[in-house]
Amino acid sequence: MILGIGTDLANIDRIAGTLERFGDRFRNRVFTETEQRKAEARADTAGTYAKRWAAKEACSKALGTGLRMGIAWKDMAVSNLRTGQPVMEVTGWAAERLRDMTPPGHEAIIHVTLTDDHPWAQAFVVIEARPVAPDAAGAVPTA
């Protein structure tokens, strides 16, 4: 079942300007060390940051809160699998919110996709609840 859907569109030039104006203050407030390493290793640094900015916005919308109610920017982080596929990890209040919205007997899966076509970066997040398979004794985990 779908628990939440969120999307966001970010202007790469706006993010580039913010990076120029605020530098590390902006990077350290919004992005995890892993996200910063990924972006700084890319030729299109601003585009990489813009996609991750959009992903955080989209995730907060999928959680049903937007960026309010205690969610911090760093509570949502994008990393990549070895295949390059982006994945969203949540911690802190975002993880609490995800637990609260996940029905008993289910696990939450966050799907994220990123794209860009200068000057735009876009992210789309879908939060899915999948039934958890019973263990060998037939018990279904509740958390």
Side-chain angles (χ1 to χ4, degrees):
M1 94 182 59
I2 302 300
L3 298 179
I5 299 172
T7 188
D8 193 68
L9 187 65
N11 185 288
I12 296 169
D13 294 332
R14 182 176 147 250
I15 296 297
T18 303
L19 286 164
E20 284 180 30
R21 186 170 175 200
F22 298 104
D24 285 342
R25 192 169 123 206
F26 171 66
R27 275 188 284 275
N28 293 333
R29 179 174 168 246
V30 176
F31 302 100
T32 65
E33 288 181 22
T34 300
E35 290 172 314
Q36 289 181 43
R37 277 193 307 274
K38 180 76 164 183
E40 297 300 325
R42 292 273 176 94
D44 184 13
T45 302
T48 302
Y49 278 122
K51 286 186 280 192
R52 279 148 179 75
W53 171 279
K56 291 167 186 273
E57 288 273 8
C59 184
S60 71
K61 293 171 186 174
L63 288 168
T65 63
L67 284 162
R68 57 183 176 88
M69 296 176 60
I71 291 182
W73 286 103
K74 288 183 175 182
D75 284 350
M76 301 164 288
V78 177
S79 60
N80 296 84
L81 300 177
R82 289 181 186 205
T83 60
Q85 176 184 346
V87 292
M88 176 69 69
E89 298 173 43
V90 294
T91 58
W93 197 89
E96 288 178 33
R97 170 71 179 147
L98 184 60
R99 275 191 300 276
D100 290 346
M101 62 191 286
T102 304
H106 290 73
E107 65 178 338
I109 310 295
I110 302 174
H111 304 277
V112 60
T113 187
L114 309 172
T115 191
D116 64 292
D117 186 7
H118 196 88
W120 301 108
Q122 184 177 29
F124 193 76
V125 171
V126 174
I127 301 175
E128 172 190 14
R130 290 185 188 162
V132 176
D135 64 16
V140 176
T142 58

